[in-house]
Amino acid sequence: MAAGVAAWLPFARAAAIGWMPVANLPMPVAPTEKNKRQDELIILNVSGRRFETWRNTLDRFPDTLLGSSEKEFFYNEETKEYFFDRDPDVFRNVLNFYRTGKLHYPRYECISSYEEELAFFGIISEIIGDCCYEEFKDRKRENAERLMDDQEDNKDAKLPNMTFRETMWRAFENPHTSTMALVFYYVTGFFIAVSVITNVVETVPCGSSPNQKEVPCGVRYTVAFFCMDTACVMIFTVEYLMRLFAAPSRYRFMRSVMSIIDVVAILPYYIGLVMTDNEDVSGAFVTLRVFRVFRIFKFSRHSQGLRILGYTLKSCASELGFLLFSLTMAIIIFATVMFYAEKGSSSSKFTSIPASFWYTIVTMTTLGYGDMVPKTIAGKIFGSICSLSGVLVIALPVPVIVSNFSRIYHQNQRADKRRAQKVQKARLARIRISKEGSSNAFLHSKRNGLFNEALEFTSSTEEEQRLTKSTSLLESQHHHLLHCLEKTTNHEFVDEQYYQQSYLEAGLQNYPSRSPSLSSQDGVTGTCCTRRSKKHHTPLPNASGPAHMQPLTHAHTHQQGLQELSTIHIQPLTTSRSSLNMRVDEPASMNCQSSQITTAIISIPTPPVTTPEGDAHLPAGPIHQNVVKVSAL
Amino acid sequence: SFPPSFPPHPCFLCFPLTDSCDGDLELSMVRHQPEGLDQLQAQTQFTRKELQSLYRGFKNECPSGLVDEETFKTIYSQFFPQGDATTYAHFLFNAFDMDRSGSIRFEDFVIGLSVLLRGSVTEKLRWAFNLYDINKDGYITKEEMMAIMTSIYDMMGRYTLPSVRDDSPYEHVEKFFQKMDRNRDGVVTIDEFIETCQKDENIMASMQLFENVI
């Protein structure tokens, strides 16, 4: 139960007087407060700083240190205060939790010291209020990750039982693990750089004899370049095969981006080897050489930044897509307009709308090459509008994308959307658990309390102490309130499983069987009657005796309907733990614990009289068992 | 939201302090101070210390000094986690809010509590009658009683033993009227009610049940 709501419990209990006139049954006895003391101030001295609060405030949460008798261990007799040798700054939050019912987590506080204080005072950290919960969870996760990273650094020491394959894979993934891996890392990096530079230099015109045309170096030193290329491709091939061999899951490795880049980088060479003698496809072969430039992407294994850039581009796909889409729209619009505006002028370069695309793109990105310029006045007007709008269309989404990049870079460490969903689910789960908790507490204490009552019929002080030790006064008052409601409506609270269970049993009852159930019924009645006869009970005060035999017999026909059925199924219903204990022991507890409430309780009905309509009158669905108690009505 | 919509929502350009929660603004601006301690002591049967303790709890939950119906329903529902206590809380709210202002002030609260906890049995019965008489016309009709009874059964929730049937409240109301309605005119007046209750030992005993709540 929430803290502040506990203050309203007296009100709720007082308002229960509204149920009394309509109640069918007498009410249970109210739990008494053994030593009712006036609310007093208590002093909590935390490392010298004194906090004062009401005792009731602390009693709101009886399962914490301050709310239970555990704090008596810290009581200082001379100064009449409770002394705690803990951090006073964090204690402020703890005490506010008692006052307001909400636990807050201050940002400046270290997460581990805060959690230690909470653990000391017996407060679970899950009940931190929603306002501070996100922050708390973030910090906790960061802390956990930091600890995990520390552990992983220690774990990088070579494990004794790794196979050669696993060692190789680890060497490939983390170059820092061994010198061999580091060497390999640098060698491959070097060769990637060499390969890329080779491709570039190949096309540079080298000096040649004056009478000949300038030829690119690649043509001049064909052999040298070919050897260099071969060497690089061999290194890359070996590397790829080694990675393929070492990969724990080859299929997954082959599907990964990096391996595709590797393959694309070396494939042109092999295709070129195969195709050199076929002159027809040499054009295609030349195109293939373009793919050699993909070797530069192999650098992303060497650079974390490149990988993050790739990832952020992928995440910003929607913004980029929208940028592209809006640009396309604008280009088409302006190209059409320019085409029709320039149609009239002679020797216009705007020969078609697609031809105007080039002009529009160059103008909107404010490049302005000048190879296509409008000549008509209308063309110039629209051209200027085009360049102005180009600035706007491009400049607006760019800051959004940039800010996304920086945000994603930080969020790269945490999974954002998934976490938000988990927090929402966790929050709902917490609310549901706390709600179930309070109803479960009542049912739980009901069974416990009844067992306690069943053991002894005379109440003693130790009995009461045993009862109140398990539940605080507040809880017992709350349970008493719920008990009163049960009595008012003559129905009991049960938990869901029990309800389903008894629902099933009721379903089982619906097949008629003629087995005589009198004996068993008598047996049950006998037990109750014998117990009942021990107790003193006054006759019904309300002398409308014959008047309410009607409902009794009416109920009895129902009961008979049930009695015709198989005995096996009656037993679980009437001898179920809570119901039988409830019904049989109620009179016992009633009569021994209070002198005020004296009313006859007639349990299980009188010996059955078979009626013909009993059979036909089978209840379907829920059980019609409200026969057990008939009292003053 | 991620990804952010484009073009950005126009409100992004608005002055950020204007928000749309004007509904809450009204209640938090209104504040109510209760009458003095002496006057309340004169009007109720509580001692000074009890009034102080009551006010502290009240003020903690409702810093503005007023309880509106929604807050009241929320608070009351917390005591009955298995069922739905809102309808009964509504009737209870109307029983406490004597001047029909739509909110309970501390004076209403404490005067009601004084009747319930420290009043005579007749006063308590009168209070209960007032609770059942929804339209406050001095008569309890079957419909009113039916509404009250349904709301009480709603608080039990689904998982009860025996299961709450649809006509459980109706049967209960029938029993009540059989008992209370002496002249069989279909309504229960305050005199019939008080007379019948005074003759019922059970009810009289249970009226004393919550004597020591405060």
Side-chain angles (χ1 to χ4, degrees):
Chain A
M1 241 187 344
V5 180
W8 287 75
L9 185 60
F11 162 77
R13 299 180 70 211
I17 287 191
W19 305 333
M20 304 297 154
V22 296
N24 293 335
L25 307 166
M27 294 293 141
V29 186
T32 52
E33 309 174 29
K34 327 174 268 265
N35 38 349
K36 183 154 182 244
R37 25 160 213 250
Q38 286 286 12
D39 208 1
E40 55 180 12
L41 283 175
I42 66 174
I43 304 175
L44 302 162
N45 184 348
V46 182
S47 301
R49 203 186 304 175
R50 277 185 180 70
F51 297 85
E52 289 189 42
T53 183
W54 297 104
R55 194 173 279 274
N56 279 1
T57 313
L58 294 182
D59 287 340
R60 284 181 192 159
F61 297 101
D63 47 358
T64 58
L65 187 149
L66 291 172
S68 63
S69 56
E70 200 183 335
K71 63 178 183 283
E72 302 302 325
F73 285 101
F74 298 91
Y75 188 66
N76 187 346
E77 293 290 345
E78 296 104 53
T79 54
K80 299 260 184 268
E81 58 188 23
Y82 294 86
F83 181 76
F84 297 96
D85 200 8
R86 310 290 302 190
D87 186 357
D89 290 326
V90 179
F91 186 76
R92 194 176 60 84
N93 297 101
V94 168
L95 197 53
N96 277 342
F97 167 62
Y98 287 90
R99 291 180 180 135
T100 62
K102 288 198 278 223
L103 183 62
H104 294 283
Y105 169 65
R107 271 163 216 243
Y108 53 81
E109 204 60 61
C110 168
I111 184 86
S112 38
S113 89
Y114 191 76
E115 281 197 316
E116 273 175 28
E117 295 297 312
L118 286 187
F120 179 83
F121 287 104
I123 298 172
I124 48 173
S125 54
E126 265 68 34
I127 51 179
I128 289 185
D130 289 336
C131 41
C132 301
Y133 194 68
E134 297 269 349
E135 175 81 23
F136 177 76
K137 275 292 171 193
D138 283 349
R139 296 278 287 269
K140 210 168 155 181
R141 194 178 305 115
E142 270 181 40
N143 205 32
E145 282 172 2
R146 186 179 56 82
L147 286 173
M148 253 185 2
D149 284 343
D150 288 345
Q151 278 178 10
E152 267 184 14
D153 285 346
N154 298 340
K155 250 192 343 186
D156 264 347
K158 190 174 164 169
L159 304 169
N161 292 337
M162 281 199 347
T163 66
F164 174 65
R165 190 173 151 186
E166 284 172 357
T167 325
M168 255 176 70
W169 181 248
R170 233 179 44 142
F172 283 139
E173 294 298 298
N174 299 342
H176 315 288
T177 46
S178 64
T179 18
M180 202 55 214
L182 213 55
V183 164
F184 184 76
Y185 175 78
Y186 283 126
V187 161
T188 44
F190 173 71
F191 272 98
I192 294 173
V194 161
S195 162
V196 170
I197 291 172
T198 314
N199 288 344
V200 167
V201 168
E202 232 179 20
T203 57
V204 170
C206 288
S208 65
S209 44
N211 51 348
Q212 276 184 332
K213 219 166 47 129
E214 285 224 349
V215 290
C217 287
V219 173
R220 189 157 164 185
Y221 303 104
T222 317
V223 176
F225 279 105
F226 183 73
C227 291
M228 193 88 79
D229 206 22
T230 311
C232 292
V233 169
M234 264 173 42
I235 303 272
F236 296 152
T237 316
V238 165
E239 182 208 351
Y240 180 72
L241 289 173
M242 274 167 64
R243 275 182 203 265
L244 190 62
F245 165 69
S249 157
R250 297 212 173 107
Y251 177 61
R252 208 158 59 94
F253 173 73
M254 280 174 64
R255 277 193 319 175
S256 69
V257 176
M258 290 310 304
S259 85
I260 290 176
I261 290 176
D262 288 341
V263 167
V264 168
I266 58 178
L267 222 44
Y269 178 81
Y270 289 111
I271 295 178
L273 275 185
V274 166
M275 287 196 324
T276 27
D277 35 8
N278 200 347
E279 282 302 320
D280 296 339
V281 293
S282 63
F285 167 63
V286 165
T287 320
L288 271 178
R289 292 174 77 105
V290 169
F291 284 98
R292 289 185 305 170
V293 80
F294 277 93
R295 287 175 196 171
I296 203 168
F297 283 114
K298 288 167 68 80
F299 267 129
S300 36
R301 274 218 182 87
H302 296 70
S303 159
Q304 168 86 357
L306 263 183
R307 281 206 291 269
I308 289 182
L309 183 65
Y311 171 72
T312 47
L313 277 176
K314 200 167 58 155
S315 314
C316 272
S318 58
E319 271 83 12
L320 290 173
F322 184 76
L323 173 60
L324 210 60
F325 176 67
S326 62
L327 270 179
T328 312
M329 258 176 38
I331 287 170
I332 292 177
I333 291 171
F334 279 108
T336 315
V337 168
M338 290 306 295
F339 173 70
Y340 283 110
E342 284 289 302
K343 210 161 178 214
S345 81
S346 58
S347 73
S348 153
K349 291 230 170 87
F350 295 80
T351 50
S352 63
I353 293 184
S356 313
F357 282 169
W358 173 243
Y359 169 77
T360 317
I361 292 174
V362 166
T363 312
M364 282 183 91
T365 53
T366 69
L367 279 175
Y369 288 136
D371 53 348
M372 282 163 83
V373 287
K375 295 205 171 62
T376 59
I377 295 178
K380 284 182 182 165
I381 292 173
F382 288 119
S384 41
I385 295 174
C386 175
S387 66
L388 286 174
S389 64
V391 168
L392 282 174
V393 169
I394 290 180
L396 273 180
V398 167
V400 173
I401 295 175
V402 164
S403 70
N404 268 359
F405 278 174
S406 65
R407 192 164 52 86
I408 285 164
Y409 183 79
H410 292 295
Q411 278 179 358
N412 191 41
Q413 325 294 333
R414 319 146 200 213
D416 45 355
K417 278 184 200 172
R418 296 246 170 81
R419 185 197 51 180
Q421 280 175 6
K422 267 187 197 161
V423 164
Q424 178 68 6
K425 274 189 209 165
R427 195 177 75 91
L428 293 173
R430 274 184 296 144
I431 291 173
R432 200 189 63 236
I433 284 171
S434 70
K435 212 175 162 205
E436 277 171 15
S438 64
S439 61
N440 280 345
F442 173 61
L443 296 165
H444 186 65
S445 76
K446 212 168 67 164
R447 291 193 208 117
N448 282 346
L450 290 167
F451 278 141
N452 283 339
E453 284 170 11
L455 288 174
E456 288 204 43
F457 287 142
T458 55
S459 68
S460 55
T461 44
E462 60 179 82
E463 183 64 46
E464 278 182 19
Q465 277 173 14
R466 218 172 351 132
L467 268 175
T468 49
K469 198 167 61 162
S470 54
T471 58
S472 73
L473 183 64
L474 229 63
E475 270 193 46
S476 60
Q477 285 177 347
H478 186 207
H479 294 164
H480 174 250
L481 184 65
L482 291 172
H483 207 169
C484 285
L485 183 60
E486 283 186 341
K487 288 275 176 271
T488 307
T489 56
N490 197 14
H491 290 69
E492 266 179 64
F493 286 112
V494 292
D495 60 21
E496 193 173 339
Q497 302 155 307
Y498 192 79
Y499 177 75
Q500 311 283 20
Q501 197 187 340
S502 44
Y503 208 82
L504 286 174
E505 283 169 6
L508 284 171
Q509 274 194 0
N510 282 341
Y511 54 114
S513 87
R514 277 255 158 211
S515 49
S517 50
L518 294 178
S519 53
S520 64
Q521 196 59 22
D522 268 342
V524 175
T525 323
T527 332
C528 303
C529 284
T530 45
R531 286 212 193 174
R532 192 166 38 96
S533 61
K534 279 191 210 156
K535 300 300 160 212
H536 156 74
H537 60 272
T538 60
L540 289 176
N542 212 357
S544 48
H548 72 262
M549 279 310 283
Q550 295 256 338
L552 187 56
T553 52
H554 173 70
H556 272 149
T557 45
H558 280 278
Q559 182 66 358
Q560 266 122 55
L562 293 173
Q563 279 163 9
E564 295 299 311
L565 304 171
S566 75
T567 58
I568 317 161
H569 300 295
I570 292 242
Q571 292 293 351
L573 282 170
T574 51
T575 57
S576 60
R577 207 158 52 130
S578 64
S579 56
L580 184 57
N581 282 345
M582 190 70 163
R583 279 125 176 104
V584 172
D585 294 330
E586 268 301 316
S589 60
M590 283 311 209
N591 287 324
C592 60
Q593 277 187 9
S594 87
S595 51
Q596 289 177 335
I597 304 179
T598 53
T599 322
I601 315 284
I602 303 175
S603 308
I604 310 289
T606 51
V609 174
T610 49
T611 54
E613 67 260 25
D615 278 336
H617 208 48
L618 289 176
I623 317 158
H624 287 235
Q625 277 258 348
N626 43 348
V627 294
V628 185
K629 283 211 167 82
V630 177
S631 69
L633 238 195
Chain B
S1 68
F2 176 82
S5 60
F6 182 82
H9 198 264
C11 267
F12 169 75
L13 302 166
C14 296
F15 192 58
L17 286 182
T18 60
D19 55 5
S20 51
C21 54
D22 290 325
D24 308 52
L25 203 57
E26 284 181 17
L27 196 60
S28 56
M29 295 287 275
V30 173
R31 203 178 87 88
H32 176 79
Q33 275 179 328
E35 294 172 19
L37 210 47
D38 299 319
Q39 285 142 309
L40 281 178
Q41 235 185 316
Q43 285 175 352
T44 67
Q45 316 263 0
F46 290 121
T47 67
R48 214 172 166 82
K49 269 196 178 282
E50 287 169 341
L51 282 172
Q52 282 177 340
S53 168
L54 276 171
Y55 188 66
R56 279 201 303 270
F58 184 84
K59 181 90 177 161
N60 220 7
E61 273 304 296
C62 317
S64 64
L66 296 167
V67 190
D68 65 337
E69 196 168 332
E70 286 312 309
T71 318
F72 187 84
K73 282 180 177 170
T74 318
I75 292 172
Y76 199 72
S77 303
Q78 300 227 19
F79 295 108
F80 304 98
Q82 280 200 328
D84 175 28
T86 49
T87 327
Y88 185 71
H90 168 77
F91 295 131
L92 210 53
F93 185 84
N94 285 339
F96 269 87
D97 182 20
M98 292 171 305
D99 53 357
R100 300 295 204 148
S101 60
S103 57
I104 298 182
R105 307 163 303 159
F106 181 63
E107 293 92 331
D108 301 328
F109 178 72
V110 105
I111 288 172
L113 271 187
S114 169
V115 165
L116 286 172
L117 298 175
R118 304 267 199 263
S120 70
V121 178
T122 320
E123 287 176 350
K124 291 181 190 174
L125 288 172
R126 215 175 274 276
W127 187 90
F129 185 87
N130 187 43
L131 173 69
Y132 303 145
D133 183 13
I134 298 176
N135 55 1
K136 316 287 180 229
D137 62 352
Y139 300 103
I140 302 180
T141 63
K142 277 203 179 160
E143 290 79 23
E144 290 175 335
M145 204 58 215
M146 193 61 198
I148 299 267
M149 204 59 76
T150 319
S151 67
I152 293 181
Y153 274 84
D154 283 343
M155 284 199 281
M156 291 297 291
R158 267 193 65 206
Y159 302 120
T160 58
L161 190 68
S163 196
V164 174
R165 306 192 314 267
D166 287 335
D167 52 351
S168 297
Y170 181 72
E171 278 181 21
H172 208 140
V173 170
E174 286 300 314
K175 281 185 202 153
F176 179 79
F177 264 81
Q178 266 177 19
K179 188 166 142 206
M180 297 279 169
D181 191 8
R182 291 298 162 111
N183 53 0
R184 305 279 170 226
D185 57 355
V187 294
V188 177
T189 62
I190 179 87
D191 302 310
E192 286 176 338
F193 183 75
I194 294 184
E195 212 187 308
T196 317
C197 290
Q198 279 175 338
K199 294 218 182 95
D200 185 339
E201 258 191 37
N202 231 1
I203 297 180
M204 296 308 278
S206 54
M207 283 289 169
Q208 319 289 347
L209 196 62
F210 294 110
E211 291 280 87
N212 335 327
V213 163
I214 300 278

